[in-house]
PDB file of all heavy atoms in Angstrom:
ATOM      1  N   TYR A  72     -45.189 137.263  53.587  1.00  0.00           N
ATOM      2  CA  TYR A  72     -43.746 137.005  53.575  1.00  0.00           C
ATOM      3  C   TYR A  72     -43.426 135.590  53.092  1.00  0.00           C
ATOM      4  O   TYR A  72     -42.506 135.390  52.312  1.00  0.00           O
ATOM      5  CB  TYR A  72     -43.135 137.190  54.958  1.00  0.00           C
ATOM      6  CG  TYR A  72     -42.830 138.619  55.357  1.00  0.00           C
ATOM      7  CD1 TYR A  72     -43.081 139.698  54.516  1.00  0.00           C
ATOM      8  CD2 TYR A  72     -42.293 138.884  56.596  1.00  0.00           C
ATOM      9  CE1 TYR A  72     -42.801 140.997  54.904  1.00  0.00           C
ATOM     10  CE2 TYR A  72     -41.998 140.185  56.987  1.00  0.00           C
ATOM     11  CZ  TYR A  72     -42.254 141.233  56.137  1.00  0.00           C
ATOM     12  OH  TYR A  72     -41.972 142.505  56.521  1.00  0.00           O
ATOM     13  N   GLN A  73     -44.159 134.601  53.571  1.00  0.00           N
ATOM     14  CA  GLN A  73     -43.864 133.205  53.216  1.00  0.00           C
ATOM     15  C   GLN A  73     -43.946 132.993  51.704  1.00  0.00           C
ATOM     16  O   GLN A  73     -43.055 132.402  51.101  1.00  0.00           O
ATOM     17  CB  GLN A  73     -44.815 132.249  53.940  1.00  0.00           C
ATOM     18  CG  GLN A  73     -44.608 130.779  53.604  1.00  0.00           C
ATOM     19  CD  GLN A  73     -43.265 130.243  54.062  1.00  0.00           C
ATOM     20  OE1 GLN A  73     -42.774 130.618  55.106  1.00  0.00           O
ATOM     21  NE2 GLN A  73     -42.688 129.355  53.273  1.00  0.00           N
ATOM     22  N   VAL A  74     -44.984 133.511  51.095  1.00  0.00           N
ATOM     23  CA  VAL A  74     -45.165 133.343  49.650  1.00  0.00           C
ATOM     24  C   VAL A  74     -44.075 134.090  48.888  1.00  0.00           C
ATOM     25  O   VAL A  74     -43.507 133.574  47.925  1.00  0.00           O
ATOM     26  CB  VAL A  74     -46.567 133.836  49.214  1.00  0.00           C
ATOM     27  CG1 VAL A  74     -46.744 133.739  47.725  1.00  0.00           C
ATOM     28  CG2 VAL A  74     -47.650 133.052  49.934  1.00  0.00           C
ATOM     29  N   VAL A  75     -43.756 135.293  49.332  1.00  0.00           N
ATOM     30  CA  VAL A  75     -42.718 136.073  48.662  1.00  0.00           C
ATOM     31  C   VAL A  75     -41.347 135.423  48.878  1.00  0.00           C
ATOM     32  O   VAL A  75     -40.508 135.422  47.977  1.00  0.00           O
ATOM     33  CB  VAL A  75     -42.748 137.546  49.121  1.00  0.00           C
ATOM     34  CG1 VAL A  75     -41.568 138.318  48.577  1.00  0.00           C
ATOM     35  CG2 VAL A  75     -44.054 138.199  48.683  1.00  0.00           C
ATOM     36  N   ALA A  76     -41.133 134.835  50.034  1.00  0.00           N
ATOM     37  CA  ALA A  76     -39.877 134.124  50.283  1.00  0.00           C
ATOM     38  C   ALA A  76     -39.716 132.968  49.293  1.00  0.00           C
ATOM     39  O   ALA A  76     -38.613 132.721  48.786  1.00  0.00           O
ATOM     40  CB  ALA A  76     -39.830 133.608  51.715  1.00  0.00           C
ATOM     41  N   GLU A  77     -40.803 132.271  49.007  1.00  0.00           N
ATOM     42  CA  GLU A  77     -40.755 131.192  48.018  1.00  0.00           C
ATOM     43  C   GLU A  77     -40.437 131.753  46.634  1.00  0.00           C
ATOM     44  O   GLU A  77     -39.687 131.145  45.866  1.00  0.00           O
ATOM     45  CB  GLU A  77     -42.081 130.433  48.005  1.00  0.00           C
ATOM     46  CG  GLU A  77     -42.317 129.629  49.270  1.00  0.00           C
ATOM     47  CD  GLU A  77     -43.721 129.067  49.383  1.00  0.00           C
ATOM     48  OE1 GLU A  77     -44.476 129.111  48.385  1.00  0.00           O
ATOM     49  OE2 GLU A  77     -44.063 128.577  50.477  1.00  0.00           O
ATOM     50  N   LEU A  78     -40.987 132.909  46.317  1.00  0.00           N
ATOM     51  CA  LEU A  78     -40.704 133.564  45.040  1.00  0.00           C
ATOM     52  C   LEU A  78     -39.226 133.944  44.957  1.00  0.00           C
ATOM     53  O   LEU A  78     -38.568 133.714  43.940  1.00  0.00           O
ATOM     54  CB  LEU A  78     -41.589 134.794  44.874  1.00  0.00           C
ATOM     55  CG  LEU A  78     -41.316 135.669  43.655  1.00  0.00           C
ATOM     56  CD1 LEU A  78     -41.574 134.892  42.368  1.00  0.00           C
ATOM     57  CD2 LEU A  78     -42.168 136.915  43.711  1.00  0.00           C
ATOM     58  N   LEU A  79     -38.697 134.532  46.026  1.00  0.00           N
ATOM     59  CA  LEU A  79     -37.289 134.905  46.032  1.00  0.00           C
ATOM     60  C   LEU A  79     -36.384 133.686  45.910  1.00  0.00           C
ATOM     61  O   LEU A  79     -35.363 133.728  45.218  1.00  0.00           O
ATOM     62  CB  LEU A  79     -36.954 135.707  47.296  1.00  0.00           C
ATOM     63  CG  LEU A  79     -37.557 137.109  47.348  1.00  0.00           C
ATOM     64  CD1 LEU A  79     -37.328 137.741  48.715  1.00  0.00           C
ATOM     65  CD2 LEU A  79     -37.001 137.994  46.248  1.00  0.00           C
ATOM     66  N   ALA A  80     -36.760 132.581  46.545  1.00  0.00           N
ATOM     67  CA  ALA A  80     -35.977 131.344  46.424  1.00  0.00           C
ATOM     68  C   ALA A  80     -35.973 130.883  44.966  1.00  0.00           C
ATOM     69  O   ALA A  80     -34.938 130.444  44.448  1.00  0.00           O
ATOM     70  CB  ALA A  80     -36.553 130.265  47.334  1.00  0.00           C
ATOM     71  N   PHE A  81     -37.109 130.997  44.294  1.00  0.00           N
ATOM     72  CA  PHE A  81     -37.212 130.658  42.873  1.00  0.00           C
ATOM     73  C   PHE A  81     -36.239 131.512  42.057  1.00  0.00           C
ATOM     74  O   PHE A  81     -35.488 131.016  41.219  1.00  0.00           O
ATOM     75  CB  PHE A  81     -38.657 130.871  42.406  1.00  0.00           C
ATOM     76  CG  PHE A  81     -38.846 130.917  40.915  1.00  0.00           C
ATOM     77  CD1 PHE A  81     -38.871 129.746  40.172  1.00  0.00           C
ATOM     78  CD2 PHE A  81     -39.016 132.129  40.259  1.00  0.00           C
ATOM     79  CE1 PHE A  81     -39.060 129.786  38.790  1.00  0.00           C
ATOM     80  CE2 PHE A  81     -39.201 132.177  38.884  1.00  0.00           C
ATOM     81  CZ  PHE A  81     -39.215 131.000  38.151  1.00  0.00           C
ATOM     82  N   VAL A  82     -36.214 132.820  42.318  1.00  0.00           N
ATOM     83  CA  VAL A  82     -35.336 133.737  41.587  1.00  0.00           C
ATOM     84  C   VAL A  82     -33.870 133.428  41.887  1.00  0.00           C
ATOM     85  O   VAL A  82     -33.035 133.392  40.977  1.00  0.00           O
ATOM     86  CB  VAL A  82     -35.669 135.211  41.928  1.00  0.00           C
ATOM     87  CG1 VAL A  82     -34.629 136.162  41.362  1.00  0.00           C
ATOM     88  CG2 VAL A  82     -37.055 135.568  41.409  1.00  0.00           C
ATOM     89  N   TYR A  83     -33.538 133.184  43.145  1.00  0.00           N
ATOM     90  CA  TYR A  83     -32.150 132.870  43.512  1.00  0.00           C
ATOM     91  C   TYR A  83     -31.688 131.592  42.818  1.00  0.00           C
ATOM     92  O   TYR A  83     -30.561 131.509  42.342  1.00  0.00           O
ATOM     93  CB  TYR A  83     -31.984 132.744  45.022  1.00  0.00           C
ATOM     94  CG  TYR A  83     -32.149 134.049  45.769  1.00  0.00           C
ATOM     95  CD1 TYR A  83     -32.774 134.096  46.998  1.00  0.00           C
ATOM     96  CD2 TYR A  83     -31.686 135.258  45.239  1.00  0.00           C
ATOM     97  CE1 TYR A  83     -32.932 135.293  47.684  1.00  0.00           C
ATOM     98  CE2 TYR A  83     -31.845 136.458  45.923  1.00  0.00           C
ATOM     99  CZ  TYR A  83     -32.466 136.461  47.140  1.00  0.00           C
ATOM    100  OH  TYR A  83     -32.618 137.652  47.819  1.00  0.00           O
ATOM    101  N   ASP A  84     -32.569 130.598  42.740  1.00  0.00           N
ATOM    102  CA  ASP A  84     -32.219 129.355  42.045  1.00  0.00           C
ATOM    103  C   ASP A  84     -31.974 129.621  40.560  1.00  0.00           C
ATOM    104  O   ASP A  84     -31.032 129.078  39.972  1.00  0.00           O
ATOM    105  CB  ASP A  84     -33.320 128.297  42.208  1.00  0.00           C
ATOM    106  CG  ASP A  84     -33.302 127.643  43.575  1.00  0.00           C
ATOM    107  OD1 ASP A  84     -32.289 127.749  44.290  1.00  0.00           O
ATOM    108  OD2 ASP A  84     -34.322 127.017  43.922  1.00  0.00           O
ATOM    109  N   LEU A  85     -32.818 130.442  39.948  1.00  0.00           N
ATOM    110  CA  LEU A  85     -32.612 130.794  38.539  1.00  0.00           C
ATOM    111  C   LEU A  85     -31.275 131.500  38.344  1.00  0.00           C
ATOM    112  O   LEU A  85     -30.537 131.206  37.401  1.00  0.00           O
ATOM    113  CB  LEU A  85     -33.735 131.696  38.036  1.00  0.00           C
ATOM    114  CG  LEU A  85     -35.080 131.055  37.755  1.00  0.00           C
ATOM    115  CD1 LEU A  85     -36.078 132.116  37.303  1.00  0.00           C
ATOM    116  CD2 LEU A  85     -34.961 129.988  36.681  1.00  0.00           C
ATOM    117  N   ASN A  86     -30.963 132.427  39.232  1.00  0.00           N
ATOM    118  CA  ASN A  86     -29.700 133.166  39.136  1.00  0.00           C
ATOM    119  C   ASN A  86     -28.509 132.235  39.305  1.00  0.00           C
ATOM    120  O   ASN A  86     -27.502 132.372  38.614  1.00  0.00           O
ATOM    121  CB  ASN A  86     -29.646 134.287  40.161  1.00  0.00           C
ATOM    122  CG  ASN A  86     -30.537 135.454  39.794  1.00  0.00           C
ATOM    123  OD1 ASN A  86     -30.923 135.616  38.634  1.00  0.00           O
ATOM    124  ND2 ASN A  86     -30.880 136.253  40.772  1.00  0.00           N
ATOM    125  N   LYS A  87     -28.617 131.294  40.225  1.00  0.00           N
ATOM    126  CA  LYS A  87     -27.539 130.337  40.456  1.00  0.00           C
ATOM    127  C   LYS A  87     -27.330 129.467  39.209  1.00  0.00           C
ATOM    128  O   LYS A  87     -26.207 129.274  38.770  1.00  0.00           O
ATOM    129  CB  LYS A  87     -27.880 129.459  41.672  1.00  0.00           C
ATOM    130  CG  LYS A  87     -26.748 128.579  42.113  1.00  0.00           C
ATOM    131  CD  LYS A  87     -27.000 127.899  43.462  1.00  0.00           C
ATOM    132  CE  LYS A  87     -28.427 127.509  43.683  1.00  0.00           C
ATOM    133  NZ  LYS A  87     -28.667 126.714  44.866  1.00  0.00           N
ATOM    134  N   ASP A  88     -28.420 128.995  38.617  1.00  0.00           N
ATOM    135  CA  ASP A  88     -28.330 128.189  37.391  1.00  0.00           C
ATOM    136  C   ASP A  88     -27.731 129.019  36.253  1.00  0.00           C
ATOM    137  O   ASP A  88     -26.919 128.523  35.485  1.00  0.00           O
ATOM    138  CB  ASP A  88     -29.702 127.659  36.985  1.00  0.00           C
ATOM    139  CG  ASP A  88     -30.240 126.602  37.942  1.00  0.00           C
ATOM    140  OD1 ASP A  88     -29.451 126.058  38.743  1.00  0.00           O
ATOM    141  OD2 ASP A  88     -31.451 126.335  37.885  1.00  0.00           O
ATOM    142  N   TYR A  89     -28.129 130.267  36.151  1.00  0.00           N
ATOM    143  CA  TYR A  89     -27.619 131.152  35.094  1.00  0.00           C
ATOM    144  C   TYR A  89     -26.122 131.378  35.262  1.00  0.00           C
ATOM    145  O   TYR A  89     -25.367 131.330  34.297  1.00  0.00           O
ATOM    146  CB  TYR A  89     -28.381 132.475  35.124  1.00  0.00           C
ATOM    147  CG  TYR A  89     -27.897 133.471  34.104  1.00  0.00           C
ATOM    148  CD1 TYR A  89     -28.222 133.323  32.761  1.00  0.00           C
ATOM    149  CD2 TYR A  89     -27.116 134.556  34.480  1.00  0.00           C
ATOM    150  CE1 TYR A  89     -27.774 134.239  31.810  1.00  0.00           C
ATOM    151  CE2 TYR A  89     -26.664 135.468  33.537  1.00  0.00           C
ATOM    152  CZ  TYR A  89     -26.995 135.309  32.219  1.00  0.00           C
ATOM    153  OH  TYR A  89     -26.556 136.203  31.290  1.00  0.00           O
ATOM    154  N   SER A  90     -25.683 131.593  36.500  1.00  0.00           N
ATOM    155  CA  SER A  90     -24.257 131.811  36.768  1.00  0.00           C
ATOM    156  C   SER A  90     -23.434 130.583  36.394  1.00  0.00           C
ATOM    157  O   SER A  90     -22.332 130.711  35.857  1.00  0.00           O
ATOM    158  CB  SER A  90     -24.035 132.153  38.239  1.00  0.00           C
ATOM    159  OG  SER A  90     -24.625 133.389  38.538  1.00  0.00           O
ATOM    160  N   LYS A  91     -23.952 129.388  36.667  1.00  0.00           N
ATOM    161  CA  LYS A  91     -23.239 128.167  36.327  1.00  0.00           C
ATOM    162  C   LYS A  91     -23.097 128.023  34.817  1.00  0.00           C
ATOM    163  O   LYS A  91     -22.072 127.578  34.318  1.00  0.00           O
ATOM    164  CB  LYS A  91     -23.969 126.939  36.886  1.00  0.00           C
ATOM    165  CG  LYS A  91     -23.828 126.780  38.374  1.00  0.00           C
ATOM    166  CD  LYS A  91     -24.589 125.556  38.845  1.00  0.00           C
ATOM    167  CE  LYS A  91     -24.560 125.436  40.345  1.00  0.00           C
ATOM    168  NZ  LYS A  91     -25.356 124.311  40.826  1.00  0.00           N
TER     169      LYS A  91
END
Side-chain angles (χ1 to χ4, degrees):
Y72 279 0
Q73 178 65 37
V74 177
V75 172
E77 291 170 11
L78 174 63
L79 290 172
F81 165 79
V82 171
Y83 292 143
D84 283 343
L85 285 178
N86 286 340
K87 188 170 36 172
D88 291 344
Y89 178 75
S90 294
K91 286 179 185 176

